Amino acid sequence: MPGHDIIVIGASAGGVEALSRLVKALPTDLPAAIFVVLHVPAHGTSLMPNILNRCGTLRAWHPEDGASIQHGQIYVAPPNYHLLVKRGYVHLARGPKENGHRPAVDPLFRTAAQHYGRRVIGVVLSGNLDDGTAGLAGVKSRGGIAIVQSPDEALFSGMPRSAIENVDVDHILPLNAIAPFLVRLTQEQVEERQAGSASAQMEIETDLVELDMAAHSKYERPGTPSGFACPDCGGALWELGDGKLLRFRCRTGHAFSGETLLAEQSEALETALWSGLRALEERAALAHRMFKGAHDRNHTKSAQRFAQQEQEAQQNAAVIRQVLLKGLKDGDGEQVENGHNGNGVNNKNGRDGGETLSSQQPVPSPHSPFPIVAIASSAGGLKALTELLSALPENFPAAIAIVQHLEPHRASQLAEILNARMALAVKQAQQGDQLRPGEVYIAPPNHHLLVNPDATIELSKTELVHFVRPSADLLFESVAASFKERAIAVILTGKGKDGANGIKAIKKMGGKAIAQDQTSSDSSGMPENAVDTGCIDWILPLNEIAATLLNLTMNSRYS
């Protein structure tokens, strides 16, 4: 009689650290197969198997389609493929995204429950929004066991909280208790009686994610028409009855929870506003050219008409611009009340987000300059930032500004996480913050962070740069202009090329630039693109960057 030998795990933001700690505590002879979905960019390279192989003794790998299921192995979903569990083997599918992701957690959980029923253990770890909740409900409906990491200790609590609120989970555990509990469960025998056959809705949803032609050719869809449109393809969404969880799926198979759909709609609305602003500004520019031509030819009536059209376009553009700016202020709730804003500010020295400057800490000015270290990171950034900043002393003689790519529509706990692990004062940046040596300022989600010449911070919601906001390029460029030779840029682990253009600006103004080396980076895209500019002064392993920063900032040239 088998045990609970099918373990499916879902994670997103903060998942690398959680998975690493979990796998490290599992024994080599674990009598179970483990399947992992971690949200990763669709067109990047995932280093998750390498990380897990360094941490533990179980073999972790990206399986090929059709790979057989064996105990003692960790099957990690590759980028841009759903990982699905079949009876005795795995299947990789390029089906429609679910909750905006491919791979997504829900399809993994749902297919494991469909084929292995009571033998399945579903585990939801750190992450934003709510992918995995519907899948965990599917695990429970088929007699499996549902385990959720305690939200209070998860780096990002969205996924765990959603699962707890919408699923009758069996166990809510701190991360260090999950591994021994899994070991115990795998040793328990399970009677393979099914909790009834899989529901028709579960089977149809599985067929849709596998791009099964028979399922896609059916005119009927589970649920009832919702009146909402799919953010991915524009088709009609059907509302699905999943107990307490509000879910939607379109004809082509894209699926969304209510919370994810709301976030996707916000993103689509902002994109539409930026498109409208661009179109109106182009219309105003064209009308101005038409006005000048008509005016030069003494066509008075035509000139008046074009001038009126230009004015109308400018007025409408101003309205949209105000909507975008108002969204920046009202949407994020960053008003300071009673001297506190709850943004993860260091309280070690009695400071908080709403503090006023004391006479013992004078405002920096161009006449009393200090250096600034601008740091950029993306995939793998939490681990890299923790190691780097923990190695810096409390009296570090430079201000530190950080851009870490974050999910745009979720509150970030990065400042709180870092603040609890180091001596430096860490806070989420606010508009007008005055930079001080020994303090760390982190760009809020969905805001560019810029540094002004008077060493104050400016937050902006101007257009995305390299598809991201906050942008490392904008931070570096502003730091280069404001601090010139007193600027030091650091590019840490991450995908893409954000930061490379900013590095050129740093060097042009006389600053210094450091890139994390490929060996110590979880993702080497950002450092490698920075190195390719020819403007990097040092390529260093992560554990040597802090010492180099200390040497640079203690140099008399900066004092």
Side-chain angles (χ1 to χ4, degrees):
M1 193 177 295
H4 295 284
D5 59 349
I6 302 294
I7 301 173
V8 289
I9 304 176
S12 186
V16 174
E17 180 173 338
L19 286 165
S20 299
R21 289 174 55 191
L22 174 59
V23 168
K24 186 177 182 180
L26 294 174
T28 308
D29 59 350
L30 184 74
I34 299 176
F35 306 85
V36 172
V37 163
L38 175 71
H39 293 159
V40 293
H43 301 292
T45 301
S46 171
L47 298 177
M48 199 64 218
N50 297 14
I51 296 169
L52 297 182
N53 283 325
R54 290 200 302 264
C55 294
T57 57
L58 298 172
R59 181 200 177 199
W61 61 305
H62 288 314
E64 297 179 352
D65 186 37
S68 62
I69 295 175
Q70 299 178 23
H71 289 178
Q73 300 210 20
I74 303 174
Y75 302 81
V76 181
N80 213 23
Y81 285 90
H82 292 303
L83 176 63
L84 310 178
V85 175
K86 296 292 190 176
R87 192 72 179 186
Y89 67 96
V90 299
H91 176 47
L92 302 180
R94 286 285 299 274
K97 294 180 180 179
E98 297 206 14
N99 293 314
H101 296 286
R102 187 175 53 230
V105 181
D106 282 342
L108 170 64
F109 283 19
R110 187 168 57 241
T111 55
Q114 182 177 354
H115 292 285
Y116 284 93
R118 292 165 55 85
R119 290 165 62 177
V120 178
I121 305 172
V123 183
V124 173
L125 299 178
S126 171
N128 280 323
L129 294 178
D130 49 9
D131 190 26
T133 298
L136 199 64
V139 170
K140 283 288 293 179
S141 72
R142 300 281 291 154
I145 296 176
I147 298 174
V148 175
Q149 181 182 2
S150 173
D152 294 336
E153 62 137 42
L155 297 180
F156 295 86
S157 63
M159 282 173 54
R161 287 193 187 281
S162 174
I164 293 168
E165 291 171 0
N166 294 285
V167 181
D168 294 327
V169 301
D170 298 291
H171 306 280
I172 303 170
L173 301 173
L175 188 61
N176 61 8
I178 294 178
F181 193 70
L182 290 177
V183 172
R184 195 183 85 189
L185 288 176
T186 60
Q187 295 169 350
E188 294 180 356
Q189 291 187 336
V190 177
E191 183 182 351
E192 278 201 277
R193 60 177 178 83
Q194 300 293 343
S197 60
S199 67
Q201 178 174 310
M202 179 180 287
E203 292 181 353
I204 291 174
E205 292 200 84
T206 298
D207 291 341
L208 288 172
V209 82
E210 295 184 50
L211 292 176
D212 180 87
M213 290 304 297
H216 280 269
S217 63
K218 291 179 180 177
Y219 294 114
E220 298 297 327
R221 286 289 183 272
T224 56
S226 67
F228 302 124
C230 174
D232 286 347
C233 68
L237 287 172
W238 273 260
E239 183 176 333
L240 305 176
D242 263 358
K244 293 182 279 186
L245 183 65
L246 183 64
R247 292 182 64 232
F248 303 89
R249 188 180 287 274
C250 73
R251 177 172 295 281
T252 56
H254 299 115
F256 305 90
S257 65
E259 191 172 356
T260 301
L261 180 60
L262 193 61
E264 293 283 342
Q265 287 177 333
S266 297
E267 189 72 25
L269 175 60
E270 182 174 334
T271 300
L273 287 171
W274 284 114
S275 297
L277 180 61
R278 173 194 54 77
L280 286 167
E281 288 179 342
E282 289 178 354
R283 177 177 174 83
L286 178 59
H288 181 70
R289 289 184 60 182
M290 300 293 287
F291 161 77
K292 288 184 64 178
H295 182 270
D296 293 343
R297 293 191 301 272
N298 292 320
H299 295 169
T300 306
K301 290 186 177 180
S302 294
Q304 290 175 345
R305 186 174 73 254
F306 291 134
Q308 183 178 359
Q309 290 176 354
E310 178 188 1
Q311 183 180 16
E312 289 174 352
Q314 289 175 338
Q315 289 173 342
N316 291 334
V319 171
I320 293 181
R321 191 178 291 108
Q322 287 301 314
V323 171
L324 289 166
L325 292 173
K326 188 173 185 295
L328 164 66
K329 295 177 181 178
D330 295 345
D332 295 291
E334 292 183 352
Q335 299 294 326
V336 177
E337 296 182 13
N338 300 324
H340 182 70
N341 72 342
N343 277 331
V345 182
N346 189 353
N347 291 316
K348 298 181 181 76
N349 299 315
R351 298 194 290 263
D352 62 31
E355 68 172 327
T356 55
L357 298 174
S358 68
S359 59
Q360 286 125 346
Q361 292 173 313
V363 176
S365 72
H367 306 293
S368 58
F370 53 82
I372 184 170
V373 176
I375 302 175
S377 58
S378 185
L382 176 61
K383 178 182 174 184
L385 289 169
T386 300
E387 182 172 340
L388 170 57
L389 298 177
S390 296
L392 297 175
E394 186 176 0
N395 61 349
F396 184 64
I400 300 174
I402 294 176
V403 159
Q404 162 71 33
H405 296 158
L406 302 165
E407 292 193 25
H409 299 295
R410 296 291 295 177
S412 170
Q413 295 178 311
L414 181 59
E416 289 94 330
I417 293 165
L418 294 176
N419 191 47
R421 301 181 182 186
M422 56 202 60
L424 292 168
V426 183
K427 69 170 294 185
Q428 183 167 288
Q430 290 183 283
Q431 177 70 24
D433 272 347
Q434 183 74 61
L435 295 178
R436 300 183 197 151
E439 294 198 1
V440 181
Y441 305 82
I442 299 175
N446 210 26
H447 292 72
H448 294 305
L449 189 158
L450 309 175
V451 176
N452 297 316
D454 62 352
T456 59
I457 284 175
E458 180 177 343
L459 300 180
S460 167
K461 288 194 76 172
T462 53
E463 294 192 38
L464 306 182
V465 178
H466 298 309
F467 307 103
V468 294
R469 185 172 53 224
S471 160
D473 278 335
L474 293 190
L475 171 62
F476 288 171
E477 289 166 2
S478 69
V479 164
S482 299
F483 277 70
K484 299 181 172 60
E485 73 278 358
R486 300 191 307 279
I488 305 169
V490 181
I491 295 275
L492 298 179
T493 175
K495 299 179 187 295
K497 60 181 181 179
D498 189 27
N501 289 334
I503 288 291
K504 297 177 185 177
I506 293 287
K507 290 300 296 178
K508 183 177 180 180
M509 300 304 291
K512 295 295 183 183
I514 300 170
Q516 184 178 354
D517 71 359
Q518 182 175 1
T519 304
S520 64
S521 297
D522 287 346
S523 299
S524 58
M526 282 172 55
E528 287 181 355
N529 278 293
V531 171
D532 288 344
T533 65
C535 297
I536 293 294
D537 298 291
W538 295 274
I539 303 172
L540 300 172
L542 183 60
N543 60 6
E544 294 182 15
I545 296 177
T548 303
L549 291 177
L550 278 170
N551 289 335
L552 284 171
T553 54
M554 296 297 288
N555 190 296
S556 59
R557 152 178 192 229
Y558 291 99
S559 58

